[in-house]
Amino acid sequence: MSSATDATDVPRLLRYFRMLEPLPLGLGKRIFSEGFKLAAPYFRTIPAVVDSVRPGEVRVHMDDRRRVRNHLGTVHAIALCNLAELAMGAVAEATIPVSHRWIPKSMQTEYLAKAKGRMQATATLDLPSPLGDKQGIEVPVRVTDPSGKEVFVARIQIWVTPKR
């Protein structure tokens, strides 16, 4: 029987982040972020870095670079969607028990203001207790600009089921 403190009970993504985070000069966060972006190739289209990972909350930032801007000089809508999905994926991996799996089901977005500068995304995930056999769960993601103004929100539905 395993206890709640066994390493096998802690999601792999969370273990990796905790292992790399202490590296100096933000190097651990950058190494972790680049490794995580390999999970889905489109994550590599944005200059994002995972800042913090804990069960229930992940924070990710995306630098404002020419490659993520639209013709108006603001951060492109699809870059914001990719940032939101990256944050959602990380919080799902860090929060959902290793006995379960998840997959995105749908995403609703709202563009609230012009997105300029470094974007900060915060994804939160509150798991119901008990976690059902088959369950849809909403993961809200807020994106703010450097002044803290909310410029984009996403509500991503994920489908959670036990692993076979």
Side-chain angles (χ1 to χ4, degrees), residues 61-116:
H61 77 265
M62 177 176 66
D63 289 328
D64 185 355
R65 300 278 188 262
R66 183 172 183 253
R67 68 183 180 168
V68 296
R69 290 188 199 129
N70 60 25
H71 64 289
L72 301 173
T74 60
V75 178
H76 193 281
I78 298 304
L80 292 169
C81 287
N82 284 349
L83 179 64
E85 193 161 357
L86 187 150
M88 174 280 302
V91 78
E93 285 294 317
T95 308
I96 294 176
V98 296
S99 59
H100 286 67
R101 61 187 178 171
W102 63 273
I103 189 167
K105 187 175 174 184
S106 67
M107 182 160 112
Q108 294 179 320
T109 60
E110 291 181 61
Y111 306 94
L112 305 172
K114 290 181 182 177
K116 291 187 174 191

Side-chain angles (χ1 to χ4, degrees), residues 37-76:
K37 287 193 266 183
L38 292 173
Y42 58 87
F43 287 163
R44 295 187 337 215
T45 66
I46 60 172
V49 174
V50 178
D51 295 314
S52 68
V53 176
R54 61 186 177 114
E57 184 180 274
V58 166
R59 292 179 189 264
V60 181
H61 77 265
M62 177 176 66
D63 289 328
D64 185 355
R65 300 278 188 262
R66 183 172 183 253
R67 68 183 180 168
V68 296
R69 290 188 199 129
N70 60 25
H71 64 289
L72 301 173
T74 60
V75 178
H76 193 281

Side-chain angles (χ1 to χ4, degrees), residues 3-20:
S3 71
T5 58
D6 282 348
T8 56
D9 289 342
V10 177
R12 188 173 24 177
L13 179 119
L14 191 53
R15 287 195 321 261
Y16 290 156
F17 186 81
R18 288 175 177 168
M19 179 179 68
L20 292 168

